[in-house]
Amino acid sequence: MQKSMLAASLLAALTLTAGAFAQSPVVNVTLVNGQIRVDRDPVEVARRMGRDVPIRWQIDPRENYSFDPTGIRVEGEQTPTGLRPQDQLPRECNGGPKHVTCVNRNTRPGQFKYTVRLRDRNHTLIERDPIIINR
């Protein structure tokens, strides 16, 4: 009886912390010939990652471009009839010139359109619209 209670307790502890071991998404952002490239499109956030999953977008610190002050802007949830307001991510995500982090509530599945906003070395605004998917 004591062994089965111990086993059950260990299993419960592992289940509760499983999300903590899932790695949060990191998206590397580059600017090539005036076009933004992201190495994850879509950014996938799995249910097993738990709630309040940080997503980090980063630029190599040696590059001569940076994030706009509003580096990531969440436009809305994609539906068959178009975009609608969403409740999973903040509307605007800010950070330093070389990284931006948003916290995804990850409480339900959905597809979310967002805009990456960079400034090149001449301070020209360049944008791209990838997707985040909560599974």
Side-chain angles (χ1 to χ4, degrees), residues 19 24 45 49-55 87-88 102-107:
S24 296
V45 178
M49 296 170 116
R51 292 193 174 167
D52 299 326
V53 176
I55 302 171
D87 63 353
Q88 295 299 292
C102 286
V103 176
N104 183 336
R105 290 182 55 217
N106 197 29
T107 60

Side-chain angles (χ1 to χ4, degrees), residues 2 14 17 23-25 31 53 60 65 68 86 104 108-109 112-113 116 130 132 134:
Q2 215 171 6
L14 287 173
T17 59
Q23 193 161 19
S24 296
L31 186 61
V53 176
D60 185 316
Y65 50 88
D68 181 72
Q86 56 82 35
N104 183 336
R108 63 178 177 79
F112 309 95
K113 179 183 174 204
V116 178
I132 297 168
N134 285 3

